[in-house]
Amino acid sequence: MPDPADGAPRRSHARSNRARILEVARRELGARPDATLDEIARAAGVVRRTVYGHFPGRAALLDALGEEASAALRDALAAADLPAASAEEAFARFLLRLWPVGDRYRMLFALARRDLGEERFAELLAPASAHCTAVLAHGQTTGAFHRHLPAPVLATALQGLTFSLLESVNLGEWQDDGTEATIVTLIAAGVSPTRAAAVVHELRAASRPA
């Protein structure tokens, strides 16, 4: 009969293995999008059976990585959800907080859309999409953003722009810490280039250590 005292260490070891597999999978898939579970197991230093014990297939692994990315997005949203002097500032803070998450998981998002389908992909992004739509809707009422498109449609369009910029980074065509991407996105939302640059640079300056 198993010793109950062994249960906690075994669960801790299993959690550690799972976390390592996810970390290695994110890195390997970022470098080689078609990496197999067997290749990920070798890179993680575990046997094939260990990977399949946590993730019965590639879709299950991608879904777990998607949940990880979604949780990171929610954490970024919580950090960005602070009082702002203007709608432009609120949107810029939102974009600057989300860029590092998008940069970290940029290949995963592309794979999730392809392998998990648009519905699951939209579900993973739902918190960020809802927040973006709310900020844009508020900015449209104050005149900060253009009103040529309804807020949900504008949010979807700007999401597409963000993913295109992340893909450019992924292809090595461009490098950015989110500053220029945020300025460009604000301009696409209807903010003047001068105002967009000023808002973003002010936020960057305020976030630097004294």
Side-chain angles (χ1 to χ4, degrees), residues 84-93 96 138-139 142-145 179 182-204:
S86 65
E88 299 100 309
E89 181 184 321
F91 193 41
R93 185 185 292 129
L96 290 170
H138 172 67
T142 64
F145 307 132
T179 299
T182 299
I183 291 172
V184 167
T185 307
L186 283 172
I187 293 170
V191 182
S192 73
T194 302
R195 172 65 175 157
V199 168
V200 174
H201 289 309
E202 285 173 11
L203 285 173
R204 283 299 195 198

Side-chain angles (χ1 to χ4, degrees), residues 70-188:
S70 186
L73 285 174
R74 290 192 296 272
D75 289 343
L77 288 175
D81 194 17
L82 298 170
S86 65
E88 299 100 309
E89 181 184 321
F91 193 41
R93 185 185 292 129
F94 163 79
L95 295 167
L96 290 170
R97 290 287 186 178
L98 262 62
W99 181 265
V101 180
D103 188 43
R104 179 179 174 84
Y105 292 99
R106 60 180 182 266
M107 181 55 71
L108 168 67
F109 286 129
L111 290 174
R113 171 172 269 171
R114 186 189 75 184
D115 292 12
L116 301 181
E118 289 290 340
E119 184 176 348
R120 179 58 175 150
F121 181 71
E123 184 180 329
L124 293 170
L125 293 183
S129 298
H131 187 95
C132 178
T133 300
V135 173
L136 289 172
H138 172 67
Q140 287 179 328
T141 63
T142 64
F145 307 132
H146 70 72
R147 303 182 67 176
H148 301 296
L149 297 171
V153 178
L154 180 58
T156 300
L158 296 179
Q159 176 182 292
L161 172 60
T162 299
F163 280 120
S164 294
L165 295 174
L166 286 168
E167 180 63 14
S168 296
V169 172
N170 199 52
L171 294 173
E173 299 172 345
W174 186 51
Q175 289 186 344
D176 186 39
D177 64 354
T179 299
E180 295 304 320
T182 299
I183 291 172
V184 167
T185 307
L186 283 172
I187 293 170

